[in-house]
Each structure stands twice: as C-alpha cells, then as structure tokens.
C-alpha cells in the first residue's frame, strides 16, 4: 500500500562538488542549484566557503548543517591562527572539519549531521592538497575526489581524465566539464558553475553562467536576453502577454 512521505521526514537534496590537484595548486568546483525535493529553492547559491586564506570547503548534504559546520570551523581556525601567530595549514583545517563533523554525529534527533565535505587548498609545508571528509569520520587525502548526488555519474570521467602535472587552465576546464556532465543527468544538480583555484598566490574565484555552459547529451542551449514571445500574441505596454 502506497503511503505519503511523513511530515518530519527530510526531503531529498542533491549537489555536485569536485576537487582536483594540478601542478602548483588545486581547483575546487560546484554547481549552484539548491533543491528541496523536486523544488529548486535557489539556482545560484555558493556551495564553497573559504575557511582561511589558503583553504576552501566544498559543501554537500544539508545546507543548514554544512553552513553551521563551516561557521564553527572558521571560528576555531581564526582562534588557532591568532594563538600561534601563523596561518593554519590545509591538513589542520581539514582535521578540525572532520572532527567537528564526526563529534556531532548524534545531532538531528540521532539521525546525525548531514555534512559531506571536501577541503582543499595550498600551503608552503605540503603544497596542494585535497581531503575528502566523510560523515563517518574518515579523512582521506586524494589527488582528486567528488561528492554529492551528481558524483555518481562522473566518477568514471574523472578517473579516466585526471592526470598528473596538469596546468591550471587544463585543470579548471577539466573540473568545469565534470560538473557540467553531472548537471546534464542529475536533476538535483544544475544552475551555474563556481570554481575556486588555490595556489601560492591565494584564492581565485571563477563564475560560469548557465548560458555559458555548452549543451551536453542533447540538451537545449540556454538563450540570452528576454524570452521570445509566443506567435499567437503580442507584448503589452507593461511587459505582459496580450492574447
């Protein structure tokens, strides 16, 4: 017998986040769609946050949980840096992120924190680094990684296409294409693409609009400007459709 979804049951959410190392830095990227079940609540959100001057967190899971986690990590890192009078390295930032996430696994009435994150960046001690922080308490150093509902569709693409010593431009194009592929087949991923490139000079942010993303797998291209008027009507003085 079919039953309706319980009122207290969390709706399905989704996203696509990717991080890859290149020769001299790391590129982190994400789509911008925030979905609540079948409803798109935000099509241009920012799923990446700077935890300090050399580290970026990519967020997937619950928007509320991951935003709270990022806020606490930034607070702890700022205190840590003031006490030591030096910038925290990427591994330290990732370790604090992972510990906070795991230590709060009993929140949300025992369901646990819905926070699946990637922390990446560059520091003088270890160079470019990417860490996958799982809800189960694992922190795994990777050369590239992905997470979110869209990640299911692009593991093979990333595994086949990533190579060592890529240039910055090659890595940025690679990450952007991977996210675009996920957006084309995952209904919970979409909108635009945001990139964060981290190297010895700091953090560089890039925004790719939806109509600048080439169509993939038979998608219709997004048009620029105002939509074309229907042939059976004309536009009124107020901008509305007159039939």
């Amino acid at each position: 017998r079919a039953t309706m979804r319980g009122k207290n049951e969390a709706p399905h959410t989704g996203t696509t986040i990717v991080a890859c190392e290149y020769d001299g830095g790391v590129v982190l990227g994400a789509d911008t769609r925030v979905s609540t079940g079948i409803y798109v609540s935000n099509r241009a959100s920012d799923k990446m946050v700077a935890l300090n001057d050399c580290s970026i967190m990519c967020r997937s899971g619950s928007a509320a949980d991951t935003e709270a986690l990022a806020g606490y990590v930034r607070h702890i890192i700022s205190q840590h840096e003031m006490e030591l009078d030096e910038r925290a390295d990427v591994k330290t930032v990732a370790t604090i992120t992972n510990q906070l996430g795991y230590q709060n696994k009993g929140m949300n009435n025992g369901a646990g924190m819905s926070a699946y994150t990637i922390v990446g960046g560059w520091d003088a001690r270890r160079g470019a680094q990417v860490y996958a922080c799982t809800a189960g308490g694992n922190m795994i150093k990777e050369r590239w990684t992905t997470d979110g509902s869209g990640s299911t569709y692009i593991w093979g693409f990333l595994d086949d296409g990533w190579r060592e010593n890529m240039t910055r431009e090659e890595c940025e194009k690679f990450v952007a294409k991977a996210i675009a592929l996920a957006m084309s087949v995952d209904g919970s991923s979409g909108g635009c693409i945001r990139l964060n490139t981290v190297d010895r000079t700091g953090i560089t942010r890039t925004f790719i609009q939806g109509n600048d993303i080439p169509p993939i797998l038979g998608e219709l291209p997004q048009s620029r400007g105002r939509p074309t008027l229907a042939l059976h009507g004309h536009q009124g003085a107020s901008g509305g459709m007159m039939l």
Side-chain angles (χ1 to χ4, degrees), residues 15-17 146-158 182 185-186:
T15 188
T16 301
I17 54 176
T146 181
D147 210 334
S149 59
S151 66
T152 306
Y153 305 99
I154 57 174
W155 277 101
F157 172 80
L158 291 167
V185 291
D186 177 34

Side-chain angles (χ1 to χ4, degrees), residues 173-184:
K173 290 181 180 178
F174 179 61
V175 171
K177 185 175 182 180
I179 296 172
L181 285 168
M183 289 166 56
S184 69

Side-chain angles (χ1 to χ4, degrees), residues 61-121:
S62 164
D65 288 356
T66 55
E67 286 178 6
L69 176 62
Y72 279 111
V73 172
R74 292 184 66 178
H75 174 68
I76 294 172
I77 291 299
S78 65
Q79 291 183 321
H80 177 79
E81 292 179 338
M82 284 189 293
E83 183 175 354
L84 298 182
D85 195 25
E86 64 179 15
R87 188 170 64 184
D89 58 38
V90 181
K91 186 176 182 180
T92 299
V93 175
T95 300
I96 293 174
T97 301
N98 190 62
Q99 288 182 344
L100 276 180
Y102 184 67
Q103 289 170 359
N104 289 278
K105 61 183 179 296
M107 67 177 299
N108 294 330
N109 297 320
M113 177 179 283
S114 178
Y116 308 87
T117 62
I118 299 172
V119 177

Side-chain angles (χ1 to χ4, degrees), residues 2-162:
T3 59
M4 295 182 64
R5 181 185 300 274
K7 292 183 179 180
N8 296 325
E9 184 178 347
H12 294 291
T13 58
T15 188
T16 301
I17 54 176
V18 178
C20 293
E21 292 182 8
Y22 69 91
D23 186 19
V26 59
V27 177
L28 303 99
D31 73 305
T32 62
R33 175 177 294 176
V34 175
S35 57
T36 306
I38 62 173
Y39 174 69
V40 177
S41 56
N42 190 340
R43 67 181 182 86
S45 68
D46 192 350
K47 302 177 182 179
M48 294 179 286
V49 58
L51 300 177
N52 67 353
D53 293 338
C54 68
S55 303
I56 294 289
M57 174 197 287
C58 294
R59 305 181 292 116
S60 68
S62 164
D65 288 356
T66 55
E67 286 178 6
L69 176 62
Y72 279 111
V73 172
R74 292 184 66 178
H75 174 68
I76 294 172
I77 291 299
S78 65
Q79 291 183 321
H80 177 79
E81 292 179 338
M82 284 189 293
E83 183 175 354
L84 298 182
D85 195 25
E86 64 179 15
R87 188 170 64 184
D89 58 38
V90 181
K91 186 176 182 180
T92 299
V93 175
T95 300
I96 293 174
T97 301
N98 190 62
Q99 288 182 344
L100 276 180
Y102 184 67
Q103 289 170 359
N104 289 278
K105 61 183 179 296
M107 67 177 299
N108 294 330
N109 297 320
M113 177 179 283
S114 178
Y116 308 87
T117 62
I118 299 172
V119 177
W122 185 96
D123 60 56
R125 180 177 299 177
R126 299 182 181 89
Q129 299 150 77
V130 171
Y131 297 95
C133 300
T134 70
N138 296 314
M139 188 183 82
I140 307 168
K141 188 177 186 300
E142 304 279 6
R143 306 301 298 274
W144 62 267
T145 190
T146 181
D147 210 334
S149 59
S151 66
T152 306
Y153 305 99
I154 57 174
W155 277 101
F157 172 80
L158 291 167
D159 187 44
D160 180 68
W162 185 88

